[in-house]
Amino acid sequence: MAAGSKMFIQENFLLQSSLAEKLYHGYAESQPIIDFHSHLSPFEIATNKKFENITQVWLSGDHYKWRAMRTFGINEKYITGTASDSEKFQAWAKTVPHTLRNPLFHWTHLELKNSFGVNDLLNTENADKVFAHCNELLNSNEYTSRKFLEKYNVVYQATTDDPTDNLEYHQKAKNDPAFNIELVPTFRPDKAFAIHDSSGFIKYVGQLSEASGVEINDIHSLIDAFQKRIDFFHENNCRISDHGLQQIPLKKIFDATLEKEFKEFIRSKGAKSFSDPDAYVFYLLNALSKAYHRKGWVQQFHLGAIRNNNSRLLTTLGADVGVDSIGDYSHASRLSTFLNELDKEDKLTKTIIYN
């Protein structure tokens, strides 16, 4: 689409000095992308998905956009509901001008310009025109999931994966001679920490048992099962783990009494809630972190989010649908204690911390 006299996204966008321009254009711009954290779909990449329209690319799974739309008062029908793809795009176009000073405003226009050649600021007046233009390009074979990665010179693409995943699409991509990007899994065992949700936890333990081939009946067999899955992920080129936690748990001793209680908790299928979730989470996280160290992995910790605030949307849509929020927790002391426990035994692997 034709550029106006002044464009929001220009050659030196966000570059605020001559040195910044030199460093970016002279060095960084031509470098390949190594993406070590994403929520991209390995299925869509492995099958080289061709999207019907930009709503499918942009809005079908982007919970950041969903959260902004809800904040702006957009009815859920136009976010995850029954509205058509064109109506959902119109709803996003209505929201975009009000995201000014939020990264979503920048991301939206960077994506439009760099992927689709659209230099205009998106709004309700030009939404139909932008929708049609992008969809015309998406109809070609140059705008598939893989082509997007190739266009941006991605050479290493990590996804986020549950330990029970069979990783079939990572294997499919690896065995495809036409695909030269390294598609790798990330080990994210969040569901194993949710012991406060007894029924969900017991269901997950069953899935982990089936995936690992280990009968899980106590804390030790649980660790064994995770070690089997870590080995499997390592064989499939995984070198990264990730954990979404409100806080690092308090340091507590998982003693013989708690071991016995945990065994009964598993046997009774969570008939009664477990008395000390922090002790359990600390023990498991410590054991997993030592396993990552043995493998030479990098561990990531996403700390501080309050997950799934809206239980109604959690029930109807599932997790990670844009109803998380920032927590007001204190992290430094707990994090220091946890990392020090690993370092005392020289078993602290490379670590990335997000808030």
Side-chain angles (χ1 to χ4, degrees):
M1 297 177 69
S5 58
K6 289 186 177 181
M7 295 185 294
F8 175 55
I9 308 296
Q10 301 182 41
E11 182 184 30
N12 293 323
F13 180 63
L14 297 181
L15 305 178
Q16 298 181 6
S17 69
S18 58
L19 179 59
E21 293 172 16
K22 179 181 179 180
L23 290 173
Y24 178 72
H25 294 301
Y27 299 93
E29 186 175 16
S30 61
Q31 294 299 309
I33 290 176
I34 298 171
D35 185 359
F36 57 85
H37 175 72
S38 82
H39 295 276
L40 296 180
S41 164
F43 166 77
E44 291 182 353
I45 296 172
T47 57
N48 198 23
K49 181 172 179 175
K50 188 173 182 179
F51 302 91
E52 292 181 18
N53 57 61
I54 189 173
T55 300
Q56 290 187 7
V57 181
W58 246 14
L59 294 167
S60 64
D62 191 337
H63 55 273
Y64 295 105
K65 293 186 177 73
W66 294 352
R67 182 181 178 188
M69 293 166 78
R70 292 190 188 109
T71 301
F72 188 55
I74 300 294
N75 189 287
E76 194 67 27
K77 173 184 176 181
Y78 300 96
I79 303 173
T80 62
T82 58
S84 68
D85 285 349
S86 61
E87 290 174 322
K88 289 177 179 178
F89 186 81
Q90 275 282 354
W92 174 239
K94 182 179 180 181
T95 306
V96 167
H98 299 272
T99 64
L100 190 64
R101 299 182 68 185
N102 183 294
L104 284 168
F105 190 83
H106 301 73
W107 295 345
T108 292
H109 294 106
L110 278 166
E111 290 162 2
L112 283 175
K113 179 182 184 297
N114 294 337
S115 291
F116 299 101
V118 175
N119 292 296
D120 302 327
L121 297 179
L122 183 62
N123 54 58
T124 54
E125 294 180 3
N126 63 14
D128 287 340
K129 182 181 178 182
V130 172
F131 189 70
H133 170 79
C134 294
N135 293 348
E136 183 179 356
L137 294 175
L138 287 167
N139 194 45
S140 77
N141 291 325
E142 295 302 309
Y143 283 78
T144 62
S145 61
R146 291 186 180 183
K147 290 295 183 180
F148 277 118
L149 296 177
E150 292 168 0
K151 172 182 171 62
Y152 289 105
N153 195 20
V154 176
V155 297
Y156 183 97
Q157 182 61 67
T159 58
T160 299
D161 310 277
D162 189 275
T164 62
D165 197 296
N166 62 17
L167 306 183
E168 63 174 307
Y169 295 108
H170 297 85
Q171 295 166 358
K172 180 180 176 67
K174 182 181 179 181
N175 295 325
D176 185 346
F179 188 55
N180 297 316
I181 296 170
E182 195 171 357
L183 181 67
V184 299
T186 297
F187 190 86
R188 185 155 181 168
D190 287 7
K191 292 179 181 178
F193 299 121
I195 196 169
H196 56 277
D197 174 13
S198 298
S199 60
F201 179 83
I202 292 299
K203 179 180 179 182
Y204 183 71
V205 167
Q207 295 169 347
L208 179 62
S209 180
E210 182 177 354
S212 64
V214 174
E215 182 182 355
I216 300 172
N217 51 32
D218 58 16
I219 192 67
H220 304 292
S221 53
L222 177 69
I223 301 299
D224 289 343
F226 270 120
Q227 185 62 62
K228 293 281 188 184
R229 298 311 293 168
I230 289 171
D231 292 341
F232 174 73
F233 269 59
H234 193 84
E235 290 166 4
N236 283 275
N237 298 320
C238 176
R239 299 295 183 269
I240 312 168
S241 65
D242 195 7
H243 314 81
L245 300 165
Q246 288 187 352
Q247 289 178 287
I248 292 290
L250 285 169
K251 181 186 176 182
K252 293 187 176 181
I253 304 301
F254 199 81
D255 58 19
T257 300
L258 288 177
E259 282 195 32
K260 183 178 179 181
E261 182 189 346
F262 185 79
K263 187 171 185 177
E264 175 60 22
F265 180 77
I266 297 294
R267 189 200 64 77
S268 68
K269 299 188 182 301
K272 293 195 302 182
S273 59
F274 189 71
S275 67
D276 199 337
D278 257 11
Y280 160 77
V281 175
F282 191 95
Y283 184 91
L284 177 60
L285 197 59
N286 182 273
L288 290 175
S289 293
K290 290 177 180 178
Y292 306 148
H293 180 268
R294 288 193 294 271
K295 291 292 188 183
W297 286 12
V298 175
Q299 60 188 3
Q300 302 174 95
F301 296 111
H302 281 79
L303 304 176
I306 304 175
R307 305 287 181 182
N308 306 312
N309 290 284
N310 190 315
S311 58
R312 178 178 55 82
L313 288 179
L314 174 64
T315 301
T316 56
L317 301 175
D320 302 322
V321 295
V323 292
D324 299 341
S325 66
I326 298 170
D328 56 355
Y329 307 104
S330 176
H331 297 287
S333 179
R334 292 183 177 204
L335 187 58
S336 173
T337 299
F338 179 75
L339 297 180
N340 187 54
E341 283 296 302
L342 294 168
D343 189 65
K344 281 193 297 187
E345 299 180 44
D346 196 21
K347 294 180 179 178
L348 176 60
T349 195
K350 292 180 180 179
T351 302
I352 300 171
I353 301 166
Y354 307 84
N355 182 270

